[in-house]
Structures are given as C-alpha cells and as structure tokens.
C-alpha cells in the first residue's frame, strides 16, 4: 500500500512544475492622483494679504 505521505509528496511534486514566477516586462506604474491646489491657493492668498497690509502705499483705496 502507498502511504498518505507518499501520495501527498507525489501531488506536491506534480504541482511544483506548474508554478512559475516571472517579473513583468513593463515597469509597475503607481498613479497617485493627489491635488495640492488648495494648499497653494491658501498660502498665496495669505502672502498677498500680508503684503498688502504691510505696504498700504502701494495699493491706494
């Protein structure tokens, strides 16, 4: 009789030939679509307000 361990080992050996790991031909691309527009606008707005406040002679009302 064939033992369970030898049947299991034979099954594993048959599957071992079917598995292949291969690196992709093209590089993996990760697209991070992040918007930083809001931070830039807020920062520029604050800088402009400070500049106008500190230089009122340049911007007469």
């Amino acid at each position: 009789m064939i033992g369970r361990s030898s049947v299991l080992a034979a099954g594993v050996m048959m599957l071992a030939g079917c598995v292949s790991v291969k690196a992709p031909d093209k590089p993996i691309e990760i697209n991070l679509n992040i918007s930083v527009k809001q931070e830039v606008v807020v920062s520029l707005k604050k800088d402009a307000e400070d500049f106008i406040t500190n230089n009122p002679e340049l911007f007469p009302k």
Side-chain angles (χ1 to χ4, degrees):
M1 280 193 169
I2 299 175
R4 289 184 186 176
S5 61
S6 60
V7 171
L8 181 62
V12 169
M13 290 177 69
M14 285 192 293
L15 289 176
C18 299
V19 177
S20 64
V21 178
K22 181 181 173 188
D25 294 336
K26 298 178 187 176
I28 298 171
E29 180 180 336
I30 300 172
N31 185 0
L32 299 175
N33 191 9
I34 300 172
S35 176
V36 293
K37 180 180 177 183
Q38 185 177 3
E39 291 179 29
V40 173
V41 171
V42 170
S43 177
L44 289 175
K45 182 178 178 184
K46 178 70 175 138
D47 289 345
E49 288 173 353
D50 291 345
F51 183 77
I52 292 169
T53 303
N54 294 332
N55 300 292
E57 69 279 359
L58 298 177
F59 302 94
K61 292 184 179 183

